[in-house]
Each structure stands twice: as structure tokens, then as C-alpha cells.
Amino acid sequence: EVDELEAEKATNRFREHIESMKGSLPKGYYEMYLSAVYTYEFKLDVSKNAFAILRYANRAVELNSKDPMILGHMGNIFFYAPKGIGDKKKALQYFEKASMVLESTPWQYSWYRVATRLSIAQCHEKIGDRASALSMVNAILDDFPNFTYIRDIYLPALRNAK
């Protein structure tokens, strides 16, 4: 059970923290974090303006369209948002863009690179392209054979999906 008052206080503290760091954040991160605040608020109260989420996220992409964190955030918005905003194909496009940036700088963000590749597999699964999902999962396991969640949970479930 979510304590809505505590969740609201935490969200307000997050917003204040973002405001305090506004001038020192990398380009586009202020907008990305504000988009996240609106996402949290939206989850707490679905009647909140969902378009604020996209407004700030789109602005973050405009400011820094080559940042994998911003591109992945946009992918997450489209992947997890409810109908009307959510779009697994758009999510896939953003995750693929993030992955391309990450592949060009393999020494950076290694955990995020793997998480992004998993997100790509999950998008393929959700849009009905199980073969592409399996291909991506196997490629991840080629690089990281001890990724137990993928190896022991996600891959078997994906293979057994109907």
C-alpha cells in the first residue's frame, strides 16, 4: 500500500533537489528529471496532466539528443505509459537510439548498455516480434553469460511464451 502523503513529500523533495541543481546538471538532465517528477505524480494521481511528462522529456531530447540516459528515459515513458500515451514501437525507437550511442562508447555506462539492450528485447516481445527478442537476449548472454535474470528467468519465459 502506498502512503500517498509520504509519496507526495518524497516527490516534492526530489523536485526541490532538482531545482537546487538546475545550473550544474548536464544539458537536458533538468528536463529529464522534471519529466520523471511528473511521471511519479501521474502514477500517484492519474488525473495529473500527463502531457507535462512528454513536454519536459521532449525538451530534454531537444537539448541533448545524443545522451543515452535521456533517450532511455524517453523509451521508458513510452514503454510504461498507459494507452493514449504509451507506444511500444516508439519506446523501441528510443531504446535503439540509446543503444547506438552506448555502442559507440562501450567503456561508458556498461550497466546501462545491458539494461537498454534488455529493454529492446522487451519491446520486441511486447510488439509481437519474439524472434528479435530472443536474438537480443542471446546477444546479451553472449556478452554477459552470468546475467542470471536473463539466463534463468526472462529467457525461459520468453521461450515458453505463446
Side-chain angles (χ1 to χ4, degrees):
E1 187 74 19
V2 174
D3 181 336
E4 290 185 24
L5 183 58
E6 284 302 311
E8 186 176 336
K9 286 179 185 178
T11 302
N12 287 335
R13 284 192 306 270
F14 183 41
R15 184 189 303 272
E16 290 169 9
H17 181 68
I18 294 165
E19 291 298 329
S20 74
M21 295 183 59
K22 183 176 182 179
S24 63
L25 293 169
K27 190 194 262 184
Y29 275 53
Y30 172 74
E31 291 77 8
M32 177 182 68
Y33 290 143
L34 271 183
S35 174
V37 167
Y38 281 104
T39 302
Y40 300 144
E41 290 176 345
F42 180 78
K43 290 290 188 182
L44 291 173
D45 181 358
V46 176
S47 66
K48 294 271 184 184
N49 184 354
F51 294 101
I53 298 167
L54 287 175
R55 181 173 67 243
Y56 284 106
N58 281 325
R59 182 70 179 131
V61 171
E62 288 171 14
L63 291 170
N64 199 346
S65 65
K66 300 288 186 206
D67 189 289
M69 297 291 286
I70 291 173
L71 294 168
H73 176 69
M74 195 67 144
N76 281 324
I77 289 170
F78 284 113
F79 188 85
Y80 291 105
K83 286 186 178 184
I85 297 172
D87 183 329
K88 302 298 191 265
K89 288 182 180 178
K90 280 186 183 178
L92 177 60
Q93 291 171 350
Y94 280 102
F95 288 133
E96 287 177 335
K97 286 178 187 177
S99 183
M100 286 184 355
V101 173
L102 291 165
E103 293 298 325
S104 69
T105 56
W107 67 91
Q108 289 183 317
Y109 311 114
S110 62
W111 66 269
Y112 195 67
R113 182 173 158 246
V114 176
T116 301
R117 292 167 72 194
L118 175 58
S119 295
I120 290 169
Q122 291 170 328
C123 284
H124 282 298
E125 175 194 5
K126 295 297 182 190
I127 62 176
D129 185 358
R130 202 166 65 113
S132 293
L134 284 165
S135 177
M136 179 59 73
V137 167
N138 287 320
I140 295 169
L141 287 174
D142 286 346
D143 293 339
F144 301 93
N146 294 323
F147 193 150
T148 56
Y149 168 73
I150 292 179
R151 184 189 67 214
D152 300 341
I153 298 169
Y154 186 67
L155 181 58
L158 187 59
R159 283 183 179 146
N160 294 326
K162 293 181 171 118

